[in-house]
Amino acid sequence: MATTPFSGLQTAMSRSCIPSSQRSSIMAISGKSMVGSWNKLASVCHVSSVQPFQRVFTSSTIKFERIVTKAMSDSSQKSSVSGLPIDLKGKRAFIAGVADDNGYGWAIAKSLAAAGAQILVGTWVPALNIFESSLRRGKFDESRVLPDGSLMEITKVYPLDAVFDNPEDVPEDIKTNKRYAGSSKWTVQEVAESVKEDFGTIDILVHSLANGPEVTKPLLETSRNGYLAALSASSYSYVSLLKHFLPIMNPGGSSISLTYIASEKIIPGYGGGMSSAKAALESDTRVLAFEAGRKRKIRVNTISAGPLRSRAAKAIGFIDMMIDYSIANAPLQKELSADEVGNSAAFLASPLASAITGTVLYVDNGLNAMGVGVDSPVFKDLDIPKDQH
């Protein structure tokens, strides 16, 4: 069973130093104000070592107008951004599971790039041609805009199917499948070897993919094959990625995956073994944190993200309902943005999180802390505070 990405794209950026007063600029693009929370990342000079053999995607089709404003804090106006900077310049990240521009993987890449990291991407083989074509044609340009106005650039895109560890694992029907025609060296082992050959080492590994072929089925109706396929694509794929990339990760590096609250709480409709796969992923995060930490001083964490209206999430069938539920019941009554997850990943990948490993970081507006749904009619007579903004 092939994996499908549960998030978006990443790109490594190359640009000059931008004064701090401009890093808080609001980008008015195609008449829309792009003011994501990630524009608060304090970045420094960002460099990208682009070698001749690498595929680099750039486009000049996007037009934008810059409006320079003063940096704003939540409580007061300030003349500059304060606090510790997230500085990832000189770092290289490999993000597995990116095939469009509207998921968490894409957002993570933007935040890593905004902080200075060079981005390499692993894209599911059947989606590779469409993804690369969209990049070349500028379809993602609007969503590639970074806080300083530059566009993210993907230094190199690798075909990847994380269900298969090495060429010997690939069955004949996949080898002859025309969706895989024209691509080579796309198993986990081969991709890690290719990255080593092309770049030598990486500093950040991101696992942003999952697949449950029977996700819409209740657990009692899930087949053995469907259950095992969900675990293979959604949890063991992370073990395999870290196993093969660990030897080329620089000590002090960071590995990050994405999980979901269904790992520990009942989410009806999130079936097919996916809840079990996410529980396994979180358990593996703790064990991998110990093993990778002892072997190469690599930190291993996972982000439990709230619901997002991504293309992949729509396959579950009730994502809009989950978002509405979260807004009604979470301590912070707002829709979660992908940028907020991206910024959290940038923090975990940075030296600011140098003592954090083996952790599940909840980025869900606090929904994980709730024991009941306060929008229930049962609580209609209670004076429950609501967001007044």
Side-chain angles (χ1 to χ4, degrees):
M1 187 67 202
T3 54
T4 54
F6 259 48
S7 58
L9 150 139
Q10 293 78 40
T11 41
M13 53 187 273
S14 174
R15 65 183 188 274
S16 59
C17 288
I18 304 298
S20 61
S21 63
Q22 295 183 20
R23 287 199 295 267
S24 60
S25 299
I26 297 176
M27 306 310 303
I29 304 165
S30 301
K32 297 180 180 178
S33 179
M34 303 290 289
V35 195
S37 64
W38 51 275
N39 66 0
K40 294 182 181 179
L41 284 174
S43 57
V44 295
C45 292
H46 304 297
V47 296
S48 173
S49 177
V50 181
Q51 302 177 26
F53 58 80
Q54 299 162 5
R55 284 178 283 182
V56 180
F57 302 95
T58 59
S59 174
S60 60
T61 60
I62 189 166
K63 298 180 181 179
F64 58 88
E65 174 186 359
R66 172 172 295 179
I67 304 174
V68 180
T69 65
K70 290 184 178 181
M72 301 285 291
S73 71
D74 291 337
S75 58
S76 63
Q77 295 187 359
K78 297 181 181 180
S79 60
S80 63
V81 176
S82 61
L84 295 173
I86 293 180
D87 182 7
L88 296 176
K89 81 171 183 293
K91 305 297 184 181
R92 183 177 297 115
F94 181 87
I95 301 93
V98 178
D100 59 36
D101 66 340
N102 72 345
Y104 284 135
W106 176 281
I108 289 172
K110 289 184 74 171
S111 292
L112 294 178
Q118 182 185 37
I119 307 297
L120 312 177
V121 170
T123 299
W124 187 46
V125 184
L128 183 66
N129 289 337
I130 294 177
F131 178 65
E132 290 188 326
S133 175
S134 296
L135 281 169
R136 286 193 299 268
R137 294 165 62 186
K139 285 190 173 183
F140 298 150
D141 280 1
E142 184 172 335
S143 57
R144 288 172 59 199
V145 178
L146 294 169
D148 70 345
S150 66
L151 299 183
M152 291 194 306
E153 298 172 359
I154 295 182
T155 302
K156 189 163 184 178
V157 181
Y158 293 87
L160 170 68
D161 193 328
V163 161
F164 305 107
D165 297 332
N166 52 61
E168 292 72 30
D169 291 343
V170 183
E172 195 61 32
D173 63 321
I174 295 294
K175 292 179 181 178
T176 58
N177 190 315
K178 57 185 179 181
R179 300 177 77 190
Y180 287 74
S183 296
S184 60
K185 297 183 177 180
W186 42 260
T187 64
V188 176
Q189 175 186 315
E190 292 173 302
V191 173
E193 290 172 349
S194 295
V195 171
K196 179 181 180 180
E197 181 180 346
D198 293 344
F199 298 96
T201 62
I202 65 170
D203 303 278
I204 302 162
L205 177 66
V206 178
H207 176 277
S208 180
L209 53 87
N211 185 47
E214 299 180 16
V215 66
T216 58
K217 291 184 179 181
L219 189 57
L220 284 174
E221 297 176 15
T222 299
S223 69
R224 181 183 296 271
N225 286 340
Y227 185 94
L228 295 177
L231 264 70
S232 173
S234 309
S235 54
Y236 185 77
S237 58
Y238 185 42
V239 177
S240 180
L241 276 169
L242 189 52
K243 171 185 176 181
H244 288 93
F245 275 87
L246 188 63
I248 66 169
M249 293 188 72
N250 292 316
S254 175
S255 183
I256 303 166
S257 65
L258 292 169
T259 185
Y260 183 50
I261 193 66
S263 63
E264 55 185 285
K265 303 289 176 63
I266 300 168
I267 307 292
Y270 193 74
M274 281 303 301
S275 58
S276 305
K278 292 302 185 182
L281 181 67
E282 293 179 15
S283 178
D284 291 342
T285 293
R286 292 183 283 272
V287 177
L288 292 172
F290 174 77
E291 296 183 1
R294 290 300 181 94
K295 285 186 176 182
R296 291 192 65 84
K297 294 180 170 54
I298 301 299
R299 293 175 292 110
V300 182
N301 295 288
T302 188
I303 296 174
S304 184
L308 176 73
R309 297 183 208 273
S310 66
R311 292 187 185 94
K314 290 178 181 178
I316 300 173
F318 62 98
I319 188 64
D320 291 336
M321 184 190 309
M322 291 305 299
I323 291 173
D324 292 342
Y325 178 87
S326 179
I327 294 173
N329 293 287
L332 300 179
Q333 287 190 276
K334 63 182 180 65
E335 185 167 342
L336 182 71
S337 76
D339 296 333
E340 291 171 309
V341 173
N343 288 347
S344 299
F347 163 71
L348 288 175
S350 77
L352 298 181
S354 60
I356 300 175
T357 193
T359 294
V360 177
L361 178 64
Y362 296 95
V363 185
D364 61 357
N365 289 322
L367 186 63
N368 71 91
M370 299 301 296
V372 296
V374 294
D375 62 345
S376 170
V378 173
F379 301 106
K380 61 181 174 55
D381 295 327
L382 291 183
D383 184 18
I384 297 175
K386 295 182 179 180
D387 188 353
Q388 301 301 314
H389 303 286

